[in-house]
Amino acid sequence: MSISRPRKVLYNSCLFTALAVLAVGLAGIAEQSAIEAPAGFNTPSFNGAQSVSNGITEPPGDTFARDQQVYEENESVQDGLGPVYNATSCVVCHQNPNSGAASQITELRVGHNDENGNFVNPTIFINDGMNTITGRSIVNDRAIGPQAQEHIPATENIRALRAALNTLGDGFVEAINDDTLKAIGESQAQETGGRIHGEAIEVPIFEAPGQTRVGRFGWKDQHSSLLSFIADAYLNEMGITNRLRPTDVTTVLKTTKDPEDQPDDIGLADIDHFAQFIRGTMVPPRDATLAATPAARQGQQLFTRIGCSTCHVQSITTAPTGTVIDGGMFTVPQALGDKIIHPYGDFLLHDIGTGDGIVQTTGLQETANKLRTAPLWGLRTKTRFMHDLKSLSLENAIERHKGEAHETERRFDELSPEERAALIIFLNSL
């Protein structure tokens, strides 16, 4: 029986506990044959000819350099850009330190609560109030003309900024088995007496209608497959309609026919090239020199001792090569399967007191103040931190951790100045 709406994954039955323990045991066996995922910042922006993939097999006629070129292409109004949008290409928001990485760019999301306290998406008036945009929390910063420009009504009093996310290594994240993520959440609850318990949610797979999978992409885990995540972003960040998101959010100033993303001469649409590029990237590497210092090693021990590693999980092993995922639409290739990654994250939702009040997965109002644990790989390339980029130091980012993380934050406060310095050095090696 297919599931037509997202549902919360429950952990409180004895049967699931037994299955979780079994999954952890099987993961341990798998790790005996698994190998480290290749790591490196190997996609220099606008220089795809020098880029190096993780070894993923390309579709006939395609190359990794071509995938990157499409990822970096600037779209025009003639290509379908807009009518409302945030950026003209993927790389605009994913470029530090190279194509596919994160950036210090934010997007805007708003909404309000109804009389029952449930989050409701905004109604945004455009074209001097003659037209509206509804059904989504994102508000775009740009438009192809003043008639389509969005503005926030006073009624939408829930307002939040969200940082653009890193996509390097996300092919490996996609290749993590659902049971592995569920087992992490169960382990957290057991280790902390329920104080910390990452929530895994089942979300729709656009390319496999009626089927769901555990979410792992986006600040709200609103997507489980890269193709779904990419198709949604192409529409909501650039206004480009595609086969999975075929209808634009407004027709004001629109001159192109939907869907705007059409297959090229080798039969691949832009969203296919985007997915192939991201799946072909290596995971963000550590600063090996800094990581080898005594201070960084001490900092890593402290990271575990005070409880940071409960949510910022150091090592996860991907599913075996040949595993069918994404509702049967993708098979884990050799380049992504049986690989050990070090994301320093759990890809689960937590309430650490910084939630933005916004719900992005229909029917899951309890996720309003939860956010996905930020993977810390590539942390050293950032100058601003947390989901809203409001923390300008790692110390401040840690001190903002409350809710499920209040005990860990308290332990951080109790560290000596020398211990705090060692912990920060460790974080700067990631």
Side-chain angles (χ1 to χ4, degrees):
M1 179 179 178
S2 64
I3 301 172
S4 58
R5 63 185 296 274
R7 68 188 189 282
K8 181 179 179 180
V9 180
L10 301 177
Y11 299 109
N12 55 2
S13 70
C14 294
L15 174 60
F16 183 82
T17 301
L19 290 175
V21 173
L22 176 60
V24 172
L26 292 176
I29 295 171
E31 285 187 10
Q32 295 177 15
S33 59
I35 62 173
E36 291 283 332
F41 290 128
N42 292 322
T43 53
S45 297
F46 309 107
N47 192 12
Q50 299 300 315
S51 294
V52 181
S53 78
N54 58 31
I56 195 169
T57 301
E58 293 287 340
D62 196 18
T63 65
F64 189 59
R66 181 170 181 171
D67 295 330
Q68 181 173 334
Q69 181 182 17
V70 177
Y71 187 89
E72 295 171 344
E73 282 177 351
N74 277 310
E75 306 293 349
S76 67
V77 174
Q78 290 72 32
D79 298 320
L81 180 71
V84 291
Y85 67 103
N86 281 332
T88 56
S89 70
C90 299
V91 77
V92 166
C93 294
H94 303 281
Q95 194 185 0
N96 186 37
N98 54 207
S99 290
S103 73
Q104 307 303 340
I105 289 176
T106 57
E107 67 168 28
L108 176 62
R109 289 188 178 270
V110 308
H112 64 274
N113 286 336
D114 63 18
E115 62 275 11
N116 297 315
N118 293 319
F119 178 79
V120 179
N121 282 322
T123 296
I124 304 295
F125 291 91
I126 62 172
N127 199 17
D128 293 326
M130 291 187 290
N131 302 90
T132 60
I133 296 176
T134 61
R136 63 182 200 152
S137 60
I138 191 170
V139 175
N140 292 114
D141 287 324
R142 299 176 179 180
I144 61 175
Q147 297 92 331
Q149 184 62 57
E150 297 180 87
H151 299 282
I152 307 172
T155 54
E156 311 304 335
N157 54 11
I158 297 176
R159 306 176 181 195
L161 295 176
R162 298 263 189 84
L165 292 166
N166 165 74
T167 66
L168 296 178
D170 271 355
F172 297 96
V173 177
E174 182 180 36
I176 300 171
N177 264 328
D178 283 6
D179 286 346
T180 300
L181 297 177
K182 295 175 186 177
I184 291 172
E186 179 63 23
S187 177
Q188 291 169 344
Q190 291 175 348
E191 291 175 7
T192 65
R195 175 173 54 85
I196 297 175
H197 192 175
E199 181 180 0
I201 59 172
E202 296 271 352
V203 295
I205 305 167
F206 290 167
E207 61 266 39
Q211 299 194 55
T212 65
R213 188 173 184 239
V214 172
R216 62 204 66 195
F217 298 119
W219 280 110
K220 294 287 185 173
D221 276 346
Q222 63 267 29
H223 290 294
S224 63
S225 87
L226 275 173
L227 197 59
S228 293
F229 183 62
I230 288 162
D232 205 38
Y234 211 18
L235 173 65
N236 284 304
E237 304 293 348
M238 285 186 269
I240 306 290
T241 56
N242 52 81
R243 67 178 185 271
L244 299 182
R245 299 287 277 162
T247 306
D248 231 321
V249 299
T250 182
T251 59
V252 174
L253 300 181
K254 184 175 174 62
T255 59
T256 52
K257 181 180 178 181
D258 294 333
E260 293 147 336
D261 179 24
Q262 294 294 322
D264 58 15
D265 60 330
I266 60 174
L268 300 180
D270 286 354
I271 60 173
D272 301 311
H273 284 288
F274 300 158
Q276 188 66 16
F277 172 68
I278 294 172
R279 286 169 177 161
T281 59
M282 299 184 188
V283 299
R286 288 191 69 181
D287 181 333
T289 300
L290 185 59
T293 63
R297 291 199 297 268
Q298 179 192 10
Q300 184 161 10
Q301 292 173 351
L302 291 166
F303 184 83
T304 299
R305 192 185 84 192
I306 69 174
C308 301
S309 61
T310 301
C311 297
H312 293 284
V313 177
Q314 175 178 337
S315 301
I316 300 176
T317 300
T318 64
T321 299
T323 301
V324 178
I325 60 174
D326 296 345
M329 301 303 290
F330 185 65
T331 300
V332 176
Q334 185 175 4
L336 302 175
D338 297 297
K339 299 297 186 295
I340 302 169
I341 61 174
H342 305 287
Y344 289 91
D346 60 9
F347 306 101
L348 301 174
L349 296 177
H350 294 270
D351 183 354
I352 64 165
T354 58
D356 56 19
I358 292 170
V359 176
Q360 283 183 250
T361 305
T362 303
L364 294 181
Q365 288 291 331
E366 82 277 5
T367 65
N369 285 313
K370 294 184 177 183
L371 293 163
R372 186 187 77 162
T373 301
L376 300 183
W377 52 11
L379 185 67
R380 71 184 189 278
T381 67
K382 301 177 181 179
T383 57
R384 291 183 274 162
F385 312 100
M386 302 295 281
H387 73 280
D388 51 13
L389 299 184
K390 290 183 178 180
S391 290
L392 302 184
S393 71
L394 289 171
E395 291 89 344
N396 178 257
I398 296 170
E399 288 167 352
R400 288 178 64 188
H401 283 60
K402 307 297 180 183
E404 292 181 48
H406 74 90
E407 182 65 18
T408 298
E409 194 277 329
R410 182 188 65 79
R411 293 170 185 163
F412 173 75
D413 287 342
E414 293 176 349
L415 294 178
S416 68
E418 294 76 17
E419 288 174 323
R420 285 195 184 197
L423 179 59
I424 298 303
I425 289 172
F426 161 68
L427 293 174
N428 283 324
S429 76
L430 297 180

